[in-house]
């Protein structure tokens, strides 16, 4: 596996492979890789001739209250996972290489980014949209894979790729979960033992909401109330939002439709966790967007 640290060498590698007719798969990450990333890497490996994983803790997507310097950076372990999974290139640019002096351009996707994570984390999605656009320009992949756990991020990437004609196919893969339902995330390591014990309440609440819908309930206010009560069994979890939304616009719904998604975010101590579940309508028919595989 090659480690590439400059945009110029990365682009040259991709251009050569493209000239040779190879398809390039890409999994952008901020490192601290877990089995959720592994499943994206495996899916990309099966679909493409060559595979690039980027490891870049992007400073511009951290909110003013979040500390980019304490984000976990287990680089040797991350590289070992990439090697095990047959990754061809680990692209590990420095912040200086990505944002040299004089850097000015930003990418915004205002409507998709407005609510939920966008409200809770100012600047976050401008940072994500900008770095993803840059990474696509450098790596020039045919296919890029994202995890469904970051549902709003995936919606934003699909929107920006469409709007800017970036020519990259986007695939969103299902969330990988711990045995007790907790969505895998690089932030889970920050949970204390007590916090870890109650963390699965978020996925339990979303499952409860989904079950209510599958049983024919379409009163969104009642579904949100029951989901909230499920979580508030534990007084030390603070609910930031629990919502039934449209899968594409992420606007809240007042009545459940076949294109709904349940979104949730909670805070346990200093750790923020997010999760989501796609809705299956009664009769088992879920009109899930084809991007979600
Ligand atoms: O999901 C992440 O890890 C990051 O937001 C991404 C897409 C790599 C951009 O920095």
């Amino acid at each position: 596996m090659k480690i590439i640290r400059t945009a110029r060498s990365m682009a040259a590698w991709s251009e050569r492979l493209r000239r040779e007719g190879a398809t390039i798969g890409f999994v952008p990450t901020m490192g601290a890789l877990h089995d959720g990333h592994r499943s994206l890497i495996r899916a990309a490996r099966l679909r493409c001739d060559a595979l690039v994983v980027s490891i870049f803790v992007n400073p511009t997507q951290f909110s003013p209250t979040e500390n980019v310097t304490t984000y976990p950076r287990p680089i040797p372990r991350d590289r070992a996972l990439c090697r095990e999974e047959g990754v061809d290139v680990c692209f590990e640019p420095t912040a200086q290489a990505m944002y040299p002096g004089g850097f000015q351009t930003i990418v915004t996707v205002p409507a998709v980014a407005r609510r939920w994570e966008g409200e809770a984390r100012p600047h976050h999605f401008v940072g994500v949209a900008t770095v993803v656009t840059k990474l696509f320009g450098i790596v020039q992949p045919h296919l890029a894979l994202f995890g469904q756990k970051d549902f709003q991020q995936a919606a934003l990437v699909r929107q920006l790729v469409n709007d800017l004609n970036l020519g990259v196919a986007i695939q969103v893969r299902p969330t990988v979960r711990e045995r007790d339902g907790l969505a895998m995330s690089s932030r889970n390591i920050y949970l204390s033992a007590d916090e870890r014990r109650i963390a699965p309440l978020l996925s339990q609440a979303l499952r409860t909401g989904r079950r209510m819908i599958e049983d024919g309930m379409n009163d969104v206010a009642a579904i949100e109330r029951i989901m909230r009560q499920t979580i508030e069994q534990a007084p030390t979890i603070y609910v930031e939002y629990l919502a039934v939304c449209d899968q594409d616009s992420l606007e809240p719904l007042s009545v459940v439709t076949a294109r709904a998604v349940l979104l949730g975010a909670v805070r346990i101590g200093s750790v923020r966790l997010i999760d989501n579940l796609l809705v299956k309508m009664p009769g088992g028919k879920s009109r899930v967007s084809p991007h979600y595989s």
Side-chain angles (χ1 to χ4, degrees):
M1 182 178 79
K2 254 172 124 66
I3 313 274
I4 297 185
R5 295 187 65 87
T6 68
R8 186 194 290 246
S9 314
M10 184 67 247
W13 185 89
S14 293
E15 276 151 21
R16 181 173 58 76
L17 283 215
R18 275 185 164 257
R19 271 198 307 275
E20 290 169 3
T23 51
I24 301 176
F26 179 41
V27 179
T29 82
M30 298 214 299
L33 303 181
H34 50 66
D35 282 352
H37 297 110
R38 194 189 289 275
S39 87
L40 298 178
I41 293 170
R42 284 190 181 166
R45 184 67 284 172
L46 287 175
R47 287 163 177 75
C48 297
D49 301 318
L51 176 51
V52 179
V53 170
S54 62
I55 299 180
F56 176 59
V57 182
N58 175 35
T60 65
Q61 71 188 73
F62 285 74
S63 300
T65 54
E66 299 169 335
N67 190 350
V68 59
T69 58
T70 56
Y71 196 84
R73 288 173 169 80
I75 282 288
R77 230 194 45 191
D78 287 349
R79 286 182 184 161
L81 186 149
C82 289
R83 256 187 222 104
E84 260 166 53
E85 297 301 332
V87 170
D88 297 294
V89 171
C90 235
F91 177 45
E92 299 174 14
T94 60
Q96 175 59 26
M98 290 297 275
Y99 301 111
F103 185 90
Q104 293 190 33
T105 305
I106 56 167
V107 180
T108 61
V109 188
V112 179
R114 183 154 57 98
R115 292 182 189 275
W116 320 123
E117 290 308 286
E119 249 167 45
R121 306 178 67 194
H123 318 306
H124 174 67
F125 282 128
V126 170
V128 171
T130 304
V131 82
V132 167
T133 307
K134 267 181 83 75
L135 288 167
F136 284 178
I138 296 166
V139 176
Q140 303 164 50
H142 295 84
L143 171 70
L145 289 93
F146 292 82
Q148 188 192 316
K149 200 210 84 198
D150 294 301
F151 193 92
Q152 194 172 4
Q153 168 172 281
L156 170 131
V157 170
R158 285 192 280 124
Q159 182 76 39
L160 92 85
V161 163
N162 253 345
D163 289 349
L164 301 181
N165 306 89
L166 295 186
V168 180
I170 301 299
Q171 200 176 72
V172 183
R173 305 283 307 166
T175 303
V176 178
R177 296 179 182 280
E178 305 286 357
R179 290 165 76 91
D180 58 10
L182 176 65
M184 286 198 184
S185 161
S186 310
R187 291 160 184 239
N188 294 352
I189 58 165
Y190 295 127
L191 294 166
S192 68
D194 283 345
E195 292 168 344
R196 174 64 187 81
R197 240 187 317 279
I198 55 173
L201 282 172
L202 173 56
S203 64
Q204 273 171 36
L206 295 172
R207 281 206 307 276
T208 302
R210 186 171 67 180
R211 207 170 319 115
M212 290 173 78
I213 293 169
E214 285 168 0
D215 289 346
M217 159 77 79
N218 72 2
D219 174 349
V220 166
I223 296 164
E224 288 176 359
R225 194 172 53 248
I226 299 290
M227 289 198 296
R228 183 176 279 271
Q229 282 167 4
T230 307
I231 292 182
E232 288 177 347
Q233 289 168 49
T236 49
I237 302 195
Y238 171 77
V239 175
E240 283 200 358
Y241 59 80
L242 281 166
V244 184
C245 306
D246 177 76
Q247 280 175 29
D248 294 314
S249 67
L250 298 185
E251 288 298 310
L253 296 169
S254 48
V255 172
V256 179
T257 68
R259 298 199 46 77
V261 59
L262 306 177
L263 298 180
V266 296
R267 243 185 311 112
I268 311 179
S270 59
V271 186
R272 262 188 105 247
L273 299 176
I274 58 171
D275 200 352
N276 65 83
L277 277 185
L278 292 165
V279 162
K280 283 201 184 70
M281 289 302 274
K285 290 220 166 62
S286 112
R287 295 221 349 266
V288 158
S289 148
H291 304 286
Y292 294 90
S293 52

